[in-house]
Amino acid sequence: RCGMSIFFNAGGKVREPSEIYFGGGNGKPLKIREVYVGRDGKPVLVWQKGVGKRYICHESSKLTYYSADLITWHEMSGCTDSVWLNPVYGNGILFASYGGKSYVSRDGKIWNKLENITDRLEKTVFGNEIFQCVQSVTGGVITFLRSTDGIQWDSYSFDSGYASSAASSQLFFANNLFILILRLSTGYYAIYTSADGMEWKKVSAFKGDTAGIYSFETLYYACGKYIIASYMNAIQVESRKIMYSTDLVTWTQCQGSATNLPSVRSVTYGKGKIILCTHNGYHRYSTDGVNWIFGSSVDSNTLTCCIFADDRFVGVGGKNIYVSTDAVSWEQVSVSPYKTVFSKIMYTG
């Protein structure tokens, strides 16, 4: 139920109020940030409250939980789909999409399905106040979808100039830049950067096997370097290696425990350390982005996902939640509510 106030001048004309509020379901008013007409012609209200500081965990059984303290967990409602292929948080909004189904949460408790969106938005990124994803690659033209709130999306196209050879693309946000990786049918890669996601500049183009790059499974920026995970070679596509670059032009293979990795689950940075977790749960860390060391096991479990939040590392391993101040010694703080395996964790602080 929504209660709104309309203000009138003495002459009976509508006076625009400086602030508009409506009930938030808990007896407290929420300020409306903006009102606009959606694709279906109905008014859409964007309110100010936002998700706030919450830890969000996802289980292998497709259940999603939220917690403010990592101890007490509550199940999020409104969705049973596998929407956690790539959850994104920004502007106080949680956004997730899978198989043409998209959901948003404005309180970290309830998912709301966006019935008017059928585009596949799984690989959405958030940066510089914008949600953005690649919708299609056709004849060298990349079409993006962009949104400030995860609800209303606008399209924008960019001509890469590779009319006949553009095969696929990947979009990342790192170092305050949108980074577009365009894979060409000729075996080359072209890398573009943009501060706003609309004006693009090509910074490099190179042949993959010459550079030793056969995929871009992830791209992260820390310690003054861009960190990626790539297939070992054209044949060993089940194993990855870690590589780095300072300029997105020249790439170098990392040292230490930086080869023969399974698929990468997460990369995070805090207190001078980069932590990389893989599908089999064995994590690695680095203090410079070049030399990598195997992390110690956590009890009898291994870490499948790790984040840095509230000045500490938080990881999931098996059915448990762990915390660490140095990414070396870990302490178990809670267990999965339904005793099923946690697969991912994120923070909205």
Side-chain angles (χ1 to χ4, degrees):
R1 180 174 295 178
C2 176
M4 299 187 68
S5 299
I6 304 295
F7 298 82
F8 292 88
N9 288 324
K13 294 182 180 180
V14 176
R15 175 171 60 85
E16 181 180 356
S18 58
E19 292 185 342
I20 306 175
Y21 294 87
F22 73 102
N26 56 1
K28 298 180 180 180
L30 301 179
K31 181 179 177 181
I32 295 178
R33 191 173 65 200
E34 60 180 302
V35 182
Y36 61 83
V37 177
R39 289 184 179 181
D40 57 0
K42 297 179 181 180
V44 178
L45 309 179
V46 180
W47 55 92
Q48 192 71 34
K49 182 181 178 183
V51 174
K53 294 184 178 182
R54 295 185 187 277
Y55 294 93
I56 310 292
C57 261
H58 190 61
E59 288 187 341
S60 55
S61 60
K62 302 181 182 180
L63 296 175
T64 308
Y65 298 92
Y66 68 90
S67 173
D69 58 8
L70 291 176
I71 306 297
T72 304
W73 292 89
H74 309 275
E75 183 180 343
M76 289 185 70
S77 61
C79 175
T80 57
D81 292 308
S82 301
V83 302
W84 273 65
L85 182 62
N86 186 21
V88 188
Y89 175 75
N91 287 345
I93 300 164
L94 276 168
F95 175 84
S97 183
Y98 181 81
K101 299 178 182 179
S102 296
Y103 299 80
V104 295
S105 174
R106 300 190 182 280
D107 58 7
K109 299 178 182 180
I110 301 172
W111 288 108
N112 296 287
K113 186 177 180 181
L114 304 177
E115 299 291 350
N116 60 327
I117 295 179
T118 58
D119 294 296
R120 298 181 66 94
L121 310 181
E122 287 96 331
K123 298 181 180 180
T124 298
V125 300
F126 180 84
N128 294 340
E129 306 302 315
I130 293 291
F131 293 94
Q132 182 153 331
C133 69
V134 175
Q135 182 186 34
S136 63
V137 179
T138 306
V141 175
I142 295 91
T143 300
F144 300 96
L145 291 176
R146 297 162 48 84
S147 174
T148 58
D149 58 15
I151 297 175
Q152 181 165 304
W153 293 78
D154 298 312
S155 63
Y156 166 78
S157 295
F158 160 68
D159 191 345
S160 67
Y162 292 100
S164 61
S165 58
S168 63
S169 65
Q170 292 171 274
L171 184 66
F172 300 94
F173 187 82
N175 194 23
N176 292 320
L177 291 171
F178 290 96
I179 300 174
L180 177 68
I181 311 293
L182 191 63
R183 184 176 65 84
L184 310 179
S185 59
T186 56
Y188 277 77
Y189 288 94
I191 300 181
Y192 300 79
T193 61
S194 172
D196 61 5
M198 298 183 71
E199 299 294 329
W200 294 90
K201 175 185 177 182
K202 185 167 72 172
V203 295
S204 65
F206 52 85
K207 192 168 179 57
D209 55 5
T210 301
I213 295 177
Y214 300 90
S215 67
F216 283 82
E217 185 167 273
T218 187
L219 191 151
Y220 192 85
Y221 185 83
C223 299
K225 300 175 182 68
Y226 296 95
I227 310 295
I228 69 167
S230 168
Y231 294 151
M232 288 291 294
N233 52 53
I235 299 176
Q236 290 178 277
V237 296
E238 297 301 321
S239 300
R240 281 80 173 164
K241 57 186 175 183
I242 309 174
M243 302 185 72
Y244 73 91
S245 173
T246 58
D247 55 9
L248 295 172
V249 177
T250 302
W251 295 88
T252 305
Q253 184 170 322
C254 296
Q255 304 299 313
S257 302
T259 59
N260 296 311
L261 285 73
S263 59
V264 175
R265 281 285 188 87
S266 69
V267 186
T268 193
Y269 176 81
K271 294 188 175 182
K273 290 181 179 178
I274 311 170
I275 311 296
L276 184 148
C277 294
T278 59
H279 179 71
N280 66 358
Y282 292 102
H283 66 286
R284 295 155 172 80
Y285 69 89
S286 174
T287 57
D288 58 9
V290 177
N291 300 284
W292 291 80
I293 301 171
F294 265 117
S296 57
S297 62
V298 182
D299 294 338
S300 59
N301 294 303
T302 51
L303 295 179
T304 54
C305 185
C306 182
I307 60 174
F308 186 77
D310 283 340
D311 200 39
R312 60 183 175 178
F313 295 96
V314 181
V316 294
K319 303 173 183 178
N320 302 322
I321 304 287
Y322 299 91
V323 296
S324 173
T325 58
D326 58 8
V328 176
S329 300
W330 296 84
E331 175 189 0
Q332 180 185 337
V333 293
S334 62
V335 66
S336 168
Y338 289 149
K339 305 297 188 297
T340 53
V341 176
F342 278 129
S343 59
K344 290 186 180 180
I345 186 169
M346 67 183 297
Y347 183 65
T348 62

